[in-house]
Amino acid sequence: MADQRFFRLRGPFSLAELASLADARLEQGDASKQIRDVAALDAAAEGHVTFLDNPKYTDQAKHTKADACVIRQDMIECLPSGVAALITDEPYRGYARIAAAFYPDAAEPNPLQPALAGIAVGAVIDPDAEIGDDCQIASGAVIEVGARIGARCRVGANATIGRGVVLGSDCVIGPGVTLTHCLIGSRVVIHAGARIGQDGFGFALGPKGHVKVPQIGRVVIEDDVEIGANSTIDRGSGPDTLIGRGCKIDNLVMIAHNVRLGPGCIVVAQTGISGSTEIGQGSVLAAQVGIAGHLKIGAGTQFAARSGVMKDVAAGQTMGGAPAIPMKQWLRQVVALNRLIKRRGVEE
Amino acid sequence: MADQRFFRLRGPFSLAELASLADARLEQGDASKQIRDVAALDAAAEGHVTFLDNPKYTDQAKHTKADACVIRQDMIECLPSGVAALITDEPYRGYARIAAAFYPDAAEPNPLQPALAGIAVGAVIDPDAEIGDDCQIASGAVIEVGARIGARCRVGANATIGRGVVLGSDCVIGPGVTLTHCLIGSRVVIHAGARIGQDGFGFALGPKGHVKVPQIGRVVIEDDVEIGANSTIDRGSGPDTLIGRGCKIDNLVMIAHNVRLGPGCIVVAQTGISGSTEIGQGSVLAAQVGIAGHLKIGAGTQFAARSGVMKDVAAGQTMGGAPAIPMKQWLRQVVALNRLIKRRGVEE
Amino acid sequence: MADQRFFRLRGPFSLAELASLADARLEQGDASKQIRDVAALDAAAEGHVTFLDNPKYTDQAKHTKADACVIRQDMIECLPSGVAALITDEPYRGYARIAAAFYPDAAEPNPLQPALAGIAVGAVIDPDAEIGDDCQIASGAVIEVGARIGARCRVGANATIGRGVVLGSDCVIGPGVTLTHCLIGSRVVIHAGARIGQDGFGFALGPKGHVKVPQIGRVVIEDDVEIGANSTIDRGSGPDTLIGRGCKIDNLVMIAHNVRLGPGCIVVAQTGISGSTEIGQGSVLAAQVGIAGHLKIGAGTQFAARSGVMKDVAAGQTMGGAPAIPMKQWLRQVVALNRLIKRRGVEE
């Protein structure tokens, strides 16, 4: 069971309820049986539901002590008899929904002040800011003139929301976040210390001194986006910087001015995207990737960790290396390099 | 026009005034004509001034609807007749100055509390700190004993300025910034969440435990420096860490103890410079570069994005790759690697 | 002498006292002689103690004006006559202990409010939080319900310590830090802006939208750990994220959910460790390293800066490159690549 100091356990839920939550079909089990917690395959005990998603863990599944398992139809035979099967094509997704039912707080990234109703005494809210119904604003948060916060938003301690910033409903803004010059949709999660909307890195360079170019665009963040801790997204220079609906961005990511991320992109930790580059819908950038400026990356592209992208990439490609090349070529490059050393070794 | 919630539009300005601002010569236009906004070549309309800097956009220039364009003499023929030309050798620099006149707030990176005069009720200022004339100190800012803040500085919400820190005049300190053990010049801009002056990463390593080495230097930041969001600059171990006049540092950059940056360097996002390295005046480090410790990098060197620098570099070189080598060699290395794969492909 | 605005000089100390602090043997000196400050070899003057650790600086040692030097037995002859020798096998470690005696504040990374006794007026502490004896809690710090802070902890301005978080004794939490869902040992130092305990980057990906997977583990940080400015450590998905005793982590480091660092690891700036990877005791990860997820890295491994690690690594290896290979092979790879260019140059 998760640590009760941090996570409140709900439930129990019947197998029928879990099947419904996971959009799964119950097999080999009593629909009314009560399940009281989630656990990993090897940690699960009586009364627990677990899941099998990765074939690598089939052996663990064979010995699980769980009462139920979210699983694909074609892997069902590895479950011990007596373990109820919750069958779905997407077990990880099903597990996610079940775990969120048991631990609703854990799916909310900022449960700093669960007891808090309304606005903390130490929050500083401009009289000309609009705060929606049922918002929670923690101590030390500063909300400036003209900001508009939708219903049920939660703003963490010492966060600052600048003049004119707009948030939709049900957003979670972590502690210490800074938002300026941005328009944010609904159900957006921004983790602690992220910086959104500061002016982009625009200078007219020269030996007489570098002159700052005013950045008069905004950051527009669509619905259901999540942005990781200490990440930075600069506002546009004139056009906006755009983060499309449902994008998930990890910690310490840098997104420069005028970048446009299509819907549903995944950007893993410490990746950087240079100015004015466009990334197509559903692309995946693994950790520590770097993408140069003014590029067009097609929809559904995937970049291996540490890719260094210097050219446009057509839709649907999988790339790796620096400079990034198609994944198959990159893997051959790695092999070729290793051979080169061996041959040299013989020659020397 | 930029979003009025975030940017206040000033003006209009006559073409004569714009020419003066941009240090340009007016041609093909009526000096008294009033211009009311800036816009990009393809977005501009009547009453707008635009600019052409990159030959790549010559086609857009041919169809611009702007009333005026900042441009070099040798590109002037691509402007439609009737478009006034503001001629200068540095159009981007000229545009920067004009845009700053139309949008003075945008050139100031911390306009969180434009209505604020003086010191917010929620700011916490030690009685033994000195605050210069006409400063703005936002709510939640904490200024410690012995700190000295020059005239017209603006300190953002929840920023902390430690004991004894000195700021010159006209500095802008973003929300949530931490300054300790540092001396800062005038007109310095530090964006949200930057951390300046914490002790460097100095340990005497050993199997009995790693012992912290006291860091008794400072960070010295000269005039006209800009430091990006969530960047970190550690104080020196005994010598100071030095950021020379006019350096521009982007987001999420790491500068270790005892580093010395000469005047006018550009350091792009996510770059890291290891301890005690010296970078000569006017060098440019593109994004995600890494530079090892105790190196000497000559003046005017340029590093391509993701360069990994392991040796000293003489002045004026352009480098790329990891380990970094002269750019020409690096480009040939990339070509050679690609050929290697192809040949291997035939062999296999 | 260090800048008195930031560092308070203690002492003087006799050579006998310094020998005791450094666990060194005094030779060539008067044990009662008073020493009043530390300085580098080339900056030292009368009344100063210095150290020689790196043979590279032997020439500086020959001309030092210091009155005493912490040094190894086998280098003692390079000291000018009259310089007292404090002999130890670990001079840098000895110097660290002596410098900490002269400058005790400098060894404490958060001396923002040295005059502060107890809890600042502007701190916000939940009545159901427990604060140990002799703690210092700075202005704007927010401490939530159920948090337990051990004796003599110092919490910086505008830091937030979430519900149920536990800290041992003698911890230093920098300004603007966020702690949630974590259990922290004693003598732990967390620098400004670090984010500990936010939920890991777990999503069930899919074209219908990415579903957040609740993260119900914690971050467990053992005794004597140090974590750098603006670094991020995500909490576990079910298992905990674990930082072993005595680990030292630099700035802007990313540690993902479920990672386990053995005791005494060194992680240099801008390195990232992906989810569920285990790093053995005493390993050293230089700057900008990336380690993929679900790997096992043996004890005492060393990674050169910018290594990209994609496979398990056995204990005691030294690795470099991306993908990382044993250091010797990597160095040969670099040489082979350079030759390849030269040969191609001849052919073309």
Side-chain angles (χ1 to χ4, degrees):
Chain A
M1 188 169 63
D3 189 328
Q4 296 286 291
R5 287 170 289 194
F6 304 120
F7 306 102
R8 205 172 8 162
L9 176 64
R10 300 294 181 83
F13 299 98
S14 69
L15 282 177
E17 288 172 307
L18 297 187
S20 169
L21 282 165
D23 202 6
R25 179 169 53 82
L26 177 63
E27 200 160 296
Q28 303 178 11
D30 170 4
S32 67
K33 187 179 181 70
Q34 296 292 301
I35 300 293
R36 60 184 163 75
D37 205 349
V38 294
L41 282 163
D42 59 345
E46 200 192 327
H48 291 172
V49 57
T50 187
F51 73 103
L52 175 59
D53 187 54
N54 186 336
K56 188 171 153 186
Y57 295 106
T58 303
D59 273 355
Q60 287 189 8
K62 285 178 182 162
H63 303 97
T64 188
K65 300 278 189 278
D67 272 348
C69 184
V70 191
I71 194 168
R72 271 197 299 275
Q73 176 72 53
D74 61 356
M75 301 175 89
I76 192 172
E77 63 268 30
C78 73
L79 289 183
S81 68
V83 179
L86 294 159
I87 297 171
T88 166
D89 290 344
E90 297 178 296
Y92 193 44
R93 198 179 190 87
Y95 166 78
R97 300 230 185 259
I98 286 173
F102 280 107
Y103 293 101
D105 294 350
E108 297 177 7
N110 185 30
L112 271 177
Q113 301 189 308
L116 178 71
I119 295 171
V121 172
V124 178
I125 300 178
D126 189 281
D128 289 328
E130 290 177 29
I131 311 293
D133 292 341
D134 301 317
C135 284
Q136 294 184 355
I137 315 285
S139 189
V142 176
I143 302 183
E144 287 303 319
V145 58
R148 287 169 42 207
I149 315 287
R152 295 173 303 283
C153 286
R154 300 166 69 189
V155 179
N158 297 321
T160 64
I161 300 186
R163 175 166 58 113
V165 167
V166 177
L167 270 78
S169 59
D170 301 287
C171 292
V172 180
I173 308 302
V177 164
T178 307
L179 306 179
T180 72
H181 307 89
C182 58
L183 307 179
I184 294 181
S186 292
R187 298 174 303 283
V188 169
V189 173
I190 302 183
H191 287 276
R195 312 293 166 188
I196 316 289
Q198 54 283 343
D199 54 338
F201 195 68
F203 296 94
L205 304 183
K208 286 174 282 183
H210 311 311
V211 176
K212 192 178 186 67
V213 180
Q215 305 286 303
I216 56 177
R218 306 163 302 182
V219 176
V220 176
I221 297 180
E222 296 182 349
D223 294 345
D224 299 303
V225 166
E226 183 158 341
I227 294 168
N230 284 349
S231 286
T232 63
I233 305 180
D234 286 352
R235 71 172 185 263
S237 63
D240 294 323
T241 303
L242 175 67
I243 310 297
R245 182 183 185 113
C247 284
K248 307 297 181 186
I249 297 174
D250 201 351
N251 298 349
L252 293 169
V253 166
M254 163 61 184
I255 297 185
H257 53 181
N258 307 346
V259 164
R260 300 174 71 87
L261 281 189
C265 290
I266 298 288
V267 182
V268 184
Q270 294 178 320
T271 282
I273 307 177
S274 302
S276 302
T277 281
E278 300 180 25
I279 313 273
Q281 172 166 3
S283 293
V284 177
L285 286 62
Q288 296 183 334
V289 166
I291 304 197
H294 299 275
L295 300 185
K296 287 189 194 301
I297 310 296
T301 51
Q302 306 213 11
F303 295 95
R306 301 177 76 81
S307 300
V309 185
M310 297 171 67
K311 293 181 181 169
D312 291 351
V313 177
Q317 298 240 48
T318 300
M319 310 284 287
I325 51 180
M327 180 69 90
K328 277 187 186 170
Q329 288 180 38
W330 178 52
L331 294 175
R332 287 170 62 200
Q333 195 179 82
V334 169
V335 170
L337 263 172
N338 286 341
R339 282 195 194 150
L340 193 66
I341 312 175
K342 278 174 197 150
R343 199 178 52 182
R344 291 277 161 199
V346 172
E347 285 176 2
E348 279 160 19
Chain B
M1 187 169 61
D3 190 327
Q4 296 287 291
R5 287 169 291 193
F6 305 119
F7 307 101
R8 205 171 7 163
L9 177 64
R10 300 294 182 84
F13 299 99
S14 68
L15 282 177
E17 288 171 306
L18 297 186
S20 170
L21 283 165
D23 202 8
R25 179 170 53 83
L26 176 64
E27 201 160 296
Q28 303 178 10
D30 169 5
S32 68
K33 186 178 182 68
Q34 296 292 302
I35 299 293
R36 59 184 163 75
D37 204 350
V38 294
L41 282 163
D42 58 346
E46 199 191 329
H48 292 170
V49 58
T50 188
F51 73 104
L52 174 61
D53 187 53
N54 186 335
K56 190 172 153 185
Y57 295 106
T58 304
D59 273 355
Q60 286 189 8
K62 286 179 181 161
H63 303 97
T64 189
K65 302 275 189 281
D67 272 349
C69 184
V70 190
I71 193 167
R72 272 198 298 274
Q73 175 74 53
D74 61 357
M75 301 176 86
I76 192 172
E77 63 270 27
C78 73
L79 290 182
S81 68
V83 179
L86 294 157
I87 296 171
T88 166
D89 289 343
E90 298 178 297
Y92 193 43
R93 199 178 190 86
Y95 166 78
R97 299 230 186 260
I98 287 173
F102 280 108
Y103 293 102
D105 294 348
E108 298 177 8
N110 185 30
L112 272 177
Q113 300 190 308
L116 178 70
I119 296 172
V121 172
V124 178
I125 300 178
D126 189 280
D128 289 328
E130 290 176 30
I131 309 294
D133 291 341
D134 300 318
C135 284
Q136 294 184 355
I137 316 284
S139 189
V142 176
I143 301 183
E144 288 301 320
V145 57
R148 287 168 43 206
I149 315 287
R152 294 173 303 283
C153 287
R154 300 165 69 187
V155 179
N158 297 320
T160 65
I161 300 185
R163 176 166 57 115
V165 167
V166 176
L167 270 78
S169 60
D170 301 287
C171 292
V172 180
I173 308 301
V177 164
T178 307
L179 306 179
T180 73
H181 308 88
C182 56
L183 307 179
I184 295 180
S186 292
R187 296 173 305 281
V188 169
V189 173
I190 302 184
H191 287 275
R195 312 294 168 188
I196 316 291
Q198 53 283 340
D199 54 339
F201 196 66
F203 296 94
L205 304 184
K208 289 175 281 184
H210 311 311
V211 176
K212 192 177 186 70
V213 180
Q215 306 285 304
I216 57 177
R218 308 162 301 182
V219 176
V220 176
I221 298 180
E222 296 182 348
D223 293 345
D224 298 304
V225 166
E226 182 157 343
I227 295 169
N230 284 348
S231 287
T232 64
I233 304 180
D234 287 352
R235 73 173 183 261
S237 63
D240 295 323
T241 304
L242 175 67
I243 309 297
R245 183 183 185 111
C247 285
K248 307 297 181 184
I249 297 175
D250 201 352
N251 298 350
L252 292 168
V253 166
M254 162 61 182
I255 297 184
H257 52 181
N258 308 345
V259 164
R260 299 175 71 87
L261 281 189
C265 291
I266 298 287
V267 183
V268 184
Q270 296 178 319
T271 283
I273 307 176
S274 302
S276 301
T277 282
E278 299 180 27
I279 312 273
Q281 171 167 3
S283 294
V284 178
L285 287 62
Q288 298 184 334
V289 166
I291 304 196
H294 300 274
L295 300 185
K296 288 191 194 300
I297 309 297
T301 52
Q302 306 215 9
F303 295 96
R306 301 177 76 82
S307 300
V309 186
M310 298 172 66
K311 294 181 182 168
D312 291 352
V313 177
Q317 297 240 48
T318 301
M319 310 283 288
I325 50 180
M327 180 67 91
K328 276 188 188 170
Q329 287 180 39
W330 178 53
L331 294 175
R332 286 170 60 200
Q333 196 180 80
V334 169
V335 170
L337 262 172
N338 286 342
R339 282 194 194 150
L340 193 67
I341 313 174
K342 279 176 197 149
R343 200 179 48 178
R344 291 278 162 198
V346 172
E347 284 175 3
E348 280 160 17
Chain C
M1 189 170 58
D3 190 327
Q4 296 287 292
R5 287 170 289 193
F6 305 119
F7 306 102
R8 205 172 6 163
L9 177 63
R10 299 294 182 84
F13 299 98
S14 69
L15 281 176
E17 289 171 306
L18 296 186
S20 170
L21 282 166
D23 201 9
R25 180 169 53 82
L26 177 64
E27 200 160 293
Q28 303 180 8
D30 169 4
S32 67
K33 187 179 181 69
Q34 297 292 303
I35 300 294
R36 57 184 166 74
D37 204 350
V38 295
L41 283 163
D42 59 344
E46 199 190 331
H48 291 171
V49 58
T50 187
F51 73 103
L52 173 60
D53 187 55
N54 187 336
K56 188 171 153 187
Y57 295 106
T58 304
D59 272 357
Q60 287 190 6
K62 286 178 181 160
H63 303 96
T64 189
K65 303 275 189 280
D67 272 347
C69 183
V70 191
I71 193 167
R72 272 196 300 274
Q73 176 73 54
D74 62 355
M75 301 175 88
I76 192 174
E77 63 269 28
C78 73
L79 289 183
S81 66
V83 178
L86 294 158
I87 296 171
T88 165
D89 290 344
E90 299 177 296
Y92 193 42
R93 197 178 191 86
Y95 166 77
R97 301 233 186 258
I98 287 174
F102 280 108
Y103 294 101
D105 296 349
E108 298 177 8
N110 186 28
L112 271 178
Q113 300 189 307
L116 177 70
I119 296 172
V121 172
V124 179
I125 300 178
D126 188 281
D128 289 328
E130 289 176 29
I131 310 294
D133 291 342
D134 300 318
C135 284
Q136 294 184 355
I137 316 283
S139 189
V142 177
I143 301 184
E144 288 301 320
V145 57
R148 287 168 43 206
I149 315 289
R152 296 173 302 281
C153 286
R154 300 166 69 188
V155 178
N158 297 321
T160 65
I161 299 186
R163 176 166 57 114
V165 167
V166 177
L167 270 78
S169 60
D170 301 287
C171 292
V172 180
I173 308 302
V177 164
T178 307
L179 306 179
T180 72
H181 308 89
C182 57
L183 308 179
I184 294 180
S186 291
R187 298 173 303 281
V188 169
V189 173
I190 302 183
H191 286 275
R195 312 294 167 187
I196 316 289
Q198 53 284 339
D199 54 339
F201 197 66
F203 296 94
L205 304 183
K208 287 175 283 185
H210 310 313
V211 176
K212 191 178 186 70
V213 180
Q215 306 286 303
I216 57 178
R218 306 162 303 183
V219 176
V220 176
I221 297 180
E222 297 182 349
D223 293 346
D224 298 304
V225 166
E226 182 157 343
I227 295 169
N230 283 350
S231 287
T232 64
I233 304 180
D234 287 350
R235 73 173 184 263
S237 63
D240 293 324
T241 304
L242 175 67
I243 309 297
R245 182 183 184 111
C247 285
K248 307 296 181 187
I249 298 174
D250 200 352
N251 298 350
L252 292 170
V253 166
M254 163 62 184
I255 296 185
H257 54 179
N258 308 345
V259 164
R260 299 175 71 85
L261 281 190
C265 290
I266 298 288
V267 183
V268 184
Q270 295 180 318
T271 282
I273 307 176
S274 301
S276 301
T277 282
E278 299 179 26
I279 312 273
Q281 173 167 1
S283 294
V284 177
L285 286 63
Q288 297 185 332
V289 166
I291 303 196
H294 301 274
L295 300 185
K296 285 190 196 304
I297 309 297
T301 51
Q302 304 214 11
F303 295 96
R306 300 179 76 82
S307 300
V309 187
M310 298 172 67
K311 294 180 180 169
D312 291 352
V313 177
Q317 299 239 48
T318 300
M319 311 283 287
I325 52 181
M327 180 68 92
K328 277 187 186 171
Q329 288 181 38
W330 178 53
L331 294 175
R332 287 170 61 200
Q333 198 180 81
V334 169
V335 170
L337 262 172
N338 286 342
R339 283 195 192 149
L340 193 66
I341 312 172
K342 280 174 195 150
R343 201 180 48 182
R344 292 277 162 198
V346 171
E347 285 177 0
E348 278 160 21

